[in-house]
Amino acid sequence: MSAHRHLPFARRPHHAPVAPDALASMLESPGFGRIFTDHMVTISWSERQGWYDAQLRAREPLTLDPAAAVLHYAQEIFEGLKAYRLTSGGVALFRPEQNARRFQASATRLAMPLLPEPTFLEAIDELVQIDAHWIPPGDGSLYLRPFMFASEPFLGVRPANEYLFVVIASAVGAYFKGGSKAVRVWLSQDYTRAAPGGTGAIKCGGNYAASLVAQAEASKHGCDQVVFLDAVEHRWVEELGGMNIFFVFEDGSLLTPPLGGTILPGITRDSLITLARREGLTVREERYSFEQWRSDAKSGKLREAFACGTAAVVSAIGEVKTTDGHFTIGDGHGGPVTDRLKSKLIGIQRGEVADQDGWVRKVL
Ligand SMILES: *Cc1c(COP(=O)(O)O)cnc(C)c1O
């Protein structure tokens, strides 16, 4: 593979960005993924030219041929990361190079071209720098959504030979309605998320498409999220639809299911393992069955459980529902280990807690 060649970014700022007073009212209660900033980045790829035509430009609808391969065979991958305002001023990203590398792993699995890590990071930096004033006041952030899809008009089944890489940004507040209260999760008994040899370890739209019916079932039962079991034995807890899972036991130890090709290697998961171990806590990456989860919750051996991911950071799991009943974890409202790890992670992201690992990357 040829060495990375710097790709020039053409900057074409929006000629009519949202005015300050209108922006202020949009940012009052942004929710999640509904409010988008003025700009986007696009970069094209073709077999002949490689990566070309990098642009920072006004966000607008894309023009797509109806035969574009992504619309038929779902050759699409994405990432999710946040830009935060530091307490001391300035704006930072959290471990963005991990997102760049995972994006490459996703591209490899779906037979797509690899976007060089420096280009991925530059695209993010460009967008954050121009739209940083969209970060809501208080504890809001800019949720960045880099993605890439097959744009070639072709209905044959093979990897496409044209792609578009795009980054958009959304001003966000809390992920779950009701802020940081414990969530209720639904155990999916009919559907699985990922099978061995499949795409569970990468971020592709197809994984989410396949999980939506289970998510709808969860909502129907009054739950916020779905817990998926492994596809082979329907026994081992894997993760939620878009978040990894941790368990906290009475002896203070933690357990999270091991990465093995069917679980998404979350950057939040990895960060929390590091932080917990540094506090002297034991963290096991081991399989945990649903029956064991239920019996440990009932006996009191299990004290806390939480879900984690970039969008919602850390969310205590208070209750688990299945077709044949439900059980609570601890008092149903989270617990001290969940709270402490969450505070520490947010503290590092905001520049309030020492960043011993070089995770925070200032962009402004
Ligand atoms: C993105 C994602 C996560 C969380 O990953 P982070 O890097 O922590 O944001 C967990 N599970 C799935 C299925 C995901 O798509």
Side-chain angles (χ1 to χ4, degrees):
M1 201 201 253
S2 62
H4 173 63
R5 177 175 52 85
H6 183 79
L7 200 61
F9 267 80
R11 295 190 189 85
R12 303 200 172 85
H14 204 301
H15 59 79
V18 173
D21 47 342
L23 179 57
S25 79
M26 288 169 86
L27 298 183
E28 260 165 34
S29 177
F32 184 87
R34 294 186 295 108
I35 309 275
F36 299 99
T37 67
D38 291 315
H39 296 91
M40 65 180 180
V41 168
T42 57
I43 311 179
S44 301
W45 187 92
S46 74
E47 206 151 75
R48 201 170 50 80
Q49 299 177 82
W51 294 105
Y52 69 99
D53 196 21
Q55 296 187 43
L56 174 68
R57 51 193 270 213
R59 200 185 77 89
E60 62 181 350
L62 300 169
T63 305
L64 207 58
D65 192 290
V70 65
L71 301 177
H72 305 275
Y73 309 123
Q75 211 186 356
E76 189 266 354
I77 58 171
F78 68 93
E79 270 302 325
L81 67 163
K82 281 175 172 172
Y84 307 85
R85 213 181 286 290
L86 298 168
T87 307
S88 59
V91 173
L93 300 165
F94 185 72
R95 307 184 72 184
E97 68 293 338
Q98 296 298 319
N99 298 92
R101 286 174 204 160
R102 193 168 63 188
F103 197 66
Q104 291 192 336
S106 297
T108 300
R109 178 63 184 80
L110 291 198
M112 298 166 93
L114 302 191
L115 183 71
E117 187 177 319
T119 308
F120 181 98
L121 295 174
E122 192 176 348
I124 305 279
D125 288 358
E126 289 276 346
L127 186 57
V128 173
Q129 283 161 7
I130 200 163
D131 282 338
H133 57 290
W134 283 80
I135 301 177
D139 55 8
S141 54
L142 261 197
Y143 181 79
L144 301 156
R145 169 52 58 88
F147 61 104
M148 169 167 51
F149 60 89
S151 52
E152 183 195 1
F154 181 61
L155 298 182
V157 180
R158 56 145 171 79
N161 58 30
E162 290 170 23
Y163 296 87
L164 190 67
F165 169 74
V166 187
V167 191
I168 54 174
S170 175
V172 303
Y175 185 75
F176 288 113
K177 294 196 279 289
S180 61
K181 74 172 181 21
V183 298
R184 186 190 286 157
V185 298
W186 170 253
L187 177 76
S188 180
Q189 281 153 310
D190 295 334
Y191 306 105
T192 51
R193 195 192 78 89
T199 55
I202 65 155
K203 286 185 99 73
C204 62
N207 288 345
Y208 279 73
S211 75
L212 296 178
V213 66
Q215 181 61 44
E217 195 177 77
S219 299
K220 207 177 75 195
H221 287 89
C223 295
D224 308 282
Q225 282 280 317
V226 185
V227 183
F228 288 101
L229 300 179
D230 77 289
V232 177
E233 295 179 68
H234 291 275
R235 184 171 171 215
W236 307 102
V237 178
E238 296 221 307
E239 62 172 311
L240 310 196
M243 282 184 278
N244 296 115
I245 192 166
F246 281 79
F247 302 94
V248 184
F249 298 94
E250 61 185 351
D251 65 357
S253 69
L254 282 86
L255 180 152
T256 188
L259 303 176
T262 56
I263 292 178
L264 198 288
I267 296 162
T268 316
R269 175 188 180 279
D270 181 76
S271 306
L272 291 171
I273 291 174
T274 301
L275 295 179
R277 287 185 176 150
R278 187 166 295 146
E279 278 194 14
L281 300 174
T282 299
V283 185
R284 286 169 291 135
E285 293 182 74
E286 279 172 17
R287 298 208 294 183
Y288 192 54
S289 71
F290 186 74
E291 308 94 272
Q292 193 69 47
W293 182 4
R294 175 157 44 198
S295 85
D296 288 348
K298 288 186 171 167
S299 73
K301 186 172 173 227
L302 179 73
R303 289 291 164 81
E304 304 172 36
F306 61 85
C308 67
T310 296
V313 194
V314 171
S315 294
I317 297 172
E319 189 184 350
V320 185
K321 274 181 100 173
T322 72
T323 48
D324 51 1
H326 64 99
F327 59 89
T328 47
I329 295 155
D331 63 4
H333 299 287
V337 177
T338 303
D339 287 347
R340 203 168 62 239
L341 288 171
K342 179 179 181 173
S343 303
K344 184 157 277 182
L345 182 61
I346 292 175
I348 293 170
Q349 290 170 340
R350 303 272 168 188
E352 291 162 5
V353 172
D355 172 23
Q356 294 186 42
D357 302 278
W359 286 343
V360 176
R361 177 189 151 107
K362 261 194 100 166
V363 288
L364 268 178

